[in-house]
Amino acid sequence: MKKALEFLNGDQMPIVGLGTWKSAPGEVYAAVREAIRIGYRHIDCAMFYGNEVEIGNALRDAISEGQVTRKELWITSKLWGSDHGRDNVEGALRKSLRDIGLDYLDLYQIHWPIPLKPGVGLPSSGADFLSTAEAPIHATWEGMEAAVIAGLTRHIGVSNFSVKKLRDLISHCKIKPEVNQVEMHPLLQQTELVTFCATQGIHITAWSPLGSTDRPDFLKSPNAPTLLDNPVIHTIAQLKGCTPAQVLIAWHVNRGISTIPKSVNPSRLRENLAAAEIMLSPADMEQIAGLDQNYRFIDGASIWVIEGSPWTLQTIWDAP
Ligand code: A2P
């Protein structure tokens, strides 16, 4: 099984990384220090998570104490919608670099394909959005390409992009997106996207691999399933002598997909990293394939499809 996903220039992104969305200030320093101590080398960040300074402190201390070198780390960050636009990318990327305390990122991704007015965090009305005519993705992408040329990031990618949006972007770009980071787990297997990305040489990183049970209430639907309680996953875990979370992580690794489970708990951090070693049999994979329901824990409706928004679930995901 792959331990890392390789890029055209030979760079390697470790297949299991540490997710930091929802890792609270006051917790994330210790989580990143422990993660690096036990062998994590891939840390997934974003300006919007509001914790890049603390993550940066942990990286700085781990490096200065000789636990790891910058070169051994894979650090990702993401461009928020309020910084879309060709001329805004560099400033936003430089802010993340300052906050994290680095002079380059390994990967910078457009966080969502949804442009917002400058200064907006989460939109509170239709007036907070920019239209895609005002801020076309291909113009933002030109800013991303310029950041590679300026040496601010080694690789660029996107997040939460459908096949249709990837196709549109690819038809306009000079540097292809190298990664698409999307919600993915056995209830949302996205086989069409996986096949498309494979044919285009685009890696996938799966977010919410464990079903993000700690997501904020406004992102919870009343009857949402709990992935970690799924009986098929439990049976496989029991037979393998591992935990349900490990089966969920190993499923991605067995598909050649990178994943970024979030934890701030030392024993779960260890458990999640060790899942990269668990081989699932073709029969296990077939059983898990049967769980697909095209179910999103976070479809974005409560963030993006608000009164006056130009977006619908159809236009975000380009699928029913
Ligand atoms: P904690 O940070 O206390 O470990 P996701 O990565 O899908 O967003 O899920 C993150 C949620 O899953 C967090 O609530 C996290 O809690 C929890 N979690 C992380 N690792 C495990 C694990 N191995 N077993 C059970 N829950 C886990």
Side-chain angles (χ1 to χ4, degrees):
M1 273 183 329
K2 287 185 188 165
K3 294 267 185 294
L5 300 183
E6 184 159 328
F7 290 74
L8 284 177
N9 70 349
D11 285 352
Q12 309 249 340
M13 177 169 76
I15 201 151
V16 173
L18 175 67
T20 63
W21 174 46
K22 311 177 257 79
S23 295
E27 285 183 332
V28 73
Y29 175 90
V32 171
R33 286 304 307 267
E34 177 64 7
I36 290 174
R37 196 183 70 76
I38 64 175
Y40 282 81
R41 292 294 176 262
H42 169 180
I43 316 284
D44 183 80
C45 315
M47 183 283 282
F48 189 70
Y49 303 158
N51 53 13
E52 288 192 325
V53 169
E54 196 171 323
I55 293 170
N57 290 341
L59 299 181
R60 183 199 57 219
D61 291 350
I63 292 169
S64 70
E65 288 173 25
Q67 259 174 7
V68 73
T69 63
R70 169 67 187 95
K71 265 182 89 172
E72 289 166 337
L73 289 168
W74 180 280
I75 308 296
T76 297
S77 185
K78 311 189 191 80
L79 177 87
W80 192 242
S82 49
D83 294 314
H84 280 209
R86 185 190 301 104
D87 299 332
N88 298 329
V89 174
E90 181 173 335
L93 173 42
R94 284 191 187 277
K95 173 164 180 0
S96 278
L97 286 175
R98 265 195 316 275
D99 285 354
I100 309 175
L102 299 176
D103 52 15
Y104 71 92
L105 291 174
D106 296 282
L107 174 63
Y108 197 48
Q109 296 173 318
I110 297 180
H111 204 148
W112 285 86
I114 299 183
L116 299 168
K117 296 235 172 99
V120 173
L122 288 180
S124 54
S125 79
D128 284 340
F129 292 84
L130 286 176
S131 70
T132 48
E134 291 169 300
I137 286 292
H138 60 85
T140 299
W141 191 253
E142 286 173 17
M144 300 287 281
E145 292 173 330
V148 175
I149 292 159
L152 300 173
T153 183
R154 291 201 197 278
H155 302 276
I156 48 177
V158 294
S159 181
N160 302 307
F161 271 49
S162 64
V163 170
K164 178 171 185 287
K165 289 186 179 61
L166 281 173
R167 269 192 216 284
D168 289 350
L169 178 56
I170 290 166
S171 72
H172 283 99
C173 64
K174 291 199 193 74
I175 304 176
K176 244 181 169 177
E178 291 183 278
V179 180
N180 186 21
Q181 184 180 124
V182 293
E183 179 181 340
M184 190 174 282
H185 42 71
L187 306 183
L188 181 68
Q189 302 193 11
Q190 310 213 55
T191 39
E192 189 202 349
L193 183 72
V194 171
T195 307
F196 177 78
C197 287
T199 59
Q200 294 291 329
I202 299 171
H203 293 308
I204 294 179
T205 296
W207 61 261
S208 273
L210 307 177
S212 291
T213 40
D214 57 345
R215 65 195 182 282
D217 286 345
F218 80 100
L219 294 176
K220 285 186 179 154
S221 313
N223 299 318
T226 307
L227 195 53
L228 282 162
D229 291 343
N230 184 282
V232 171
I233 301 295
H234 268 251
T235 307
I236 295 173
Q238 235 160 20
L239 291 171
K240 291 228 120 37
C242 67
T243 68
Q246 287 182 312
V247 173
L248 292 169
I249 295 165
W251 177 70
H252 292 293
V253 176
N254 281 256
R255 297 214 299 171
I257 286 173
S258 153
T259 188
I260 46 167
K262 171 264 174 185
S263 183
V264 292
N265 172 287
S267 73
R268 291 193 284 273
L269 283 168
R270 189 176 285 283
E271 176 183 325
N272 296 348
L273 187 63
E277 312 294 329
I278 296 171
M279 181 93 82
L280 297 177
S281 69
D284 297 331
M285 294 301 280
E286 207 178 304
Q287 277 200 62
I288 298 176
L291 297 178
D292 196 9
Q293 299 173 20
N294 195 29
Y295 182 80
R296 289 181 195 279
F297 287 104
I298 297 166
D299 63 9
S302 57
I303 312 174
W304 310 120
V305 190
I306 58 174
E307 174 112 31
S309 163
W311 293 90
T312 63
L313 283 180
Q314 215 291 322
T315 57
I316 296 170
W317 302 115
D318 302 306

